[in-house]
């Protein structure tokens, strides 16, 4: 894909648009309308989750929600960096808590990672970096390319690859999306995505009591923050010097998925699902 963008001097989003136009036969206005629907749903789930009063989530864990509290307190932080990370984390908690309530589920790429991309889009939109709607569309398309590559060359399924395939891929999608929204070249998107995914490799899936709550809800916040970290490292290094390319990371994801002990593949037989005692 990078070779295509180089050869035709186009962005990742332009490549994705060309693919959508050719495959679906729809016009750009129709594709944009669908992208806007997804972007709207992502922003809505964050806003609903942030506004929801603290409550207890369904299921035996009796986990309290916290997106609203984290958001309110983050907004009072005097230091911009603390406020930014706090608000981004709250947005991811909000999206994931909405999933856990059985409300809107944003599968980008999966239900377990429902908070990551919505938080990234929220952080790029009117309440964050204030990127235009067109830039948000381009961000979503760049993120979709990363999800596509992971789906077709590795896996998006925790039952096959553990949490690296869910939160890891979502974080990689987020890294590419942030770079695209900032008009960075495709190589920065690739490097940001690769960095974010790289640092989730090996992550297991061990949902407590089989519910997508612990560790999933907080893990979405970490995935969103790592998307930004991946972007900021990629943006601020000499991109040609990056030693680990995204193809190698996706290959490692596929290989690690094959080697991972089945106990860590969404079975709730090990890890936190075993060590955390529910009273
Ligand atoms: S721990 Fe398992 S269920 Fe939870 S987000 Fe990760 S992959 Fe999904």
């Amino acid at each position: 894909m990078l070779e295509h963008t180089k050869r035709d001097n186009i962005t990742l989003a332009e490549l994705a648009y060309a693919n959508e136009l050719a495959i679906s036969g729809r016009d750009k206005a129709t594709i944009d309308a669908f992208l806007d629907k997804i972007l709207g749903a992502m922003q809505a789930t964050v806003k609903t989750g942030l506004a929801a009063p603290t409550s207890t989530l369904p299921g035996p864990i009796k986990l309290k929600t916290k997106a609203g509290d984290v958001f309110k307190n983050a907004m009072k932080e005097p230091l911009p960096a603390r406020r930014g990370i706090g608000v981004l984390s709250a947005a991811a908690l909000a999206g994931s808590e909405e999933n856990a309530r059985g409300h809107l589920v944003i599968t980008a790429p999966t239900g377990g990672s429902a908070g990551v991309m919505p938080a990234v889009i929220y952080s790029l939109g009117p309440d964050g970096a204030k990127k235009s709607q067109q830039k948000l569309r381009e961000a979503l398309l760049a993120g979709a390319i990363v999800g596509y590559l992971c789906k077709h060359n590795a896996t998006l399924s925790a039952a096959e690859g553990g949490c690296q395939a869910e939160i890891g891929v979502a974080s990689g999608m987020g890294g590419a999306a942030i770079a695209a929204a900032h008009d960075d070249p495709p190589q920065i998107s690739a490097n940001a995505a690769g960095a974010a995914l790289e640092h989730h490799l090996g992550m297991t899936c061990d949902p407590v009591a089989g519910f997508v709550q612990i560790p999933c809800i907080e893990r979405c916040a970490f995935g969103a923050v790592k998307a930004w970290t991946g972007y900021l490292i990629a943006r601020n290094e000499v991109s040609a010097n990056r030693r680990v390319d995204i193809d190698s990371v996706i290959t490692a994801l596929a290989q690690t998925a094959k080697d991972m002990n089945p106990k860590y593949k969404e079975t709730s037989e090990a890890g936190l699902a075993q060590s955390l005692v529910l009273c």
Side-chain angles (χ1 to χ4, degrees), residues 96 99 110-114 156-159 161-168 203-208 210-217 219-220 264-268 272:
S96 191
N99 173 53
T110 63
S113 54
L156 304 179
S157 160
C163 201
Q164 54 174 356
E166 287 205 13
I167 301 282
M203 189 180 277
T204 60
C205 170
D206 53 356
V208 173
F211 278 71
V212 184
Q213 295 179 5
I214 298 175
C216 321
I217 293 173
R219 196 160 280 179
C220 282
Y264 295 103
K265 295 183 180 182
E266 215 179 56
T267 56
S268 296
L272 275 175

Side-chain angles (χ1 to χ4, degrees), residues 51-277:
T54 304
S55 62
T56 304
L57 291 172
I61 307 174
K62 307 208 183 309
L63 186 65
K64 297 271 185 215
T65 59
K66 58 183 154 200
D69 291 332
V70 173
F71 179 71
K72 271 182 242 129
N73 291 324
M75 290 300 281
K76 293 182 206 151
E77 289 280 5
L79 292 176
R82 288 172 61 142
R83 193 163 60 244
I85 294 171
V87 168
L88 176 65
S89 301
L93 295 171
S96 191
E97 285 175 356
E98 279 295 280
N99 173 53
R101 285 188 189 97
H103 292 173
L104 193 59
V105 182
I106 307 284
T107 53
T110 63
S113 54
V116 179
M117 277 299 288
V120 166
I121 293 299
Y122 179 83
S123 73
L124 293 169
D127 297 297
K130 304 197 188 325
K131 297 296 175 189
S132 68
Q133 187 68 8
Q134 180 54 29
K135 288 296 143 203
L136 296 187
R137 291 177 191 142
E138 292 170 17
L140 195 55
L141 287 169
I145 286 179
V146 173
Y148 173 92
L149 291 173
C150 292
K151 177 177 175 179
H152 290 280
N153 296 284
T155 177
L156 304 179
S157 160
E160 267 185 326
C163 201
Q164 54 174 356
E166 287 205 13
I167 301 282
V169 173
S171 188
M173 291 168 65
I178 297 164
H182 286 84
D183 283 326
D184 285 299
Q187 187 67 56
I188 302 281
S189 268
N191 288 358
L197 177 57
E198 177 186 345
H199 300 294
H200 289 85
L201 287 177
M203 189 180 277
T204 60
C205 170
D206 53 356
V208 173
F211 278 71
V212 184
Q213 295 179 5
I214 298 175
C216 321
I217 293 173
E218 285 190 1
R219 196 160 280 179
C220 282
F222 283 83
V225 171
K226 279 201 229 179
W228 271 95
T229 308
Y231 168 63
L232 290 169
I233 291 174
R235 178 75 181 82
N236 293 308
E237 69 180 348
V238 177
S239 56
N241 291 350
R242 184 158 193 87
R243 190 63 188 81
V244 183
D245 61 281
I246 187 168
D247 288 350
S248 301
V249 179
I250 296 173
T251 302
L253 170 63
Q255 194 56 51
T256 308
K258 281 196 189 108
D259 292 342
M260 191 179 279
N261 188 311
K263 285 197 293 188
Y264 295 103
K265 295 183 180 182
E266 215 179 56
T267 56
S268 296
E269 288 175 358
L272 275 175
Q274 194 185 46
S275 66
L276 186 69
V277 178

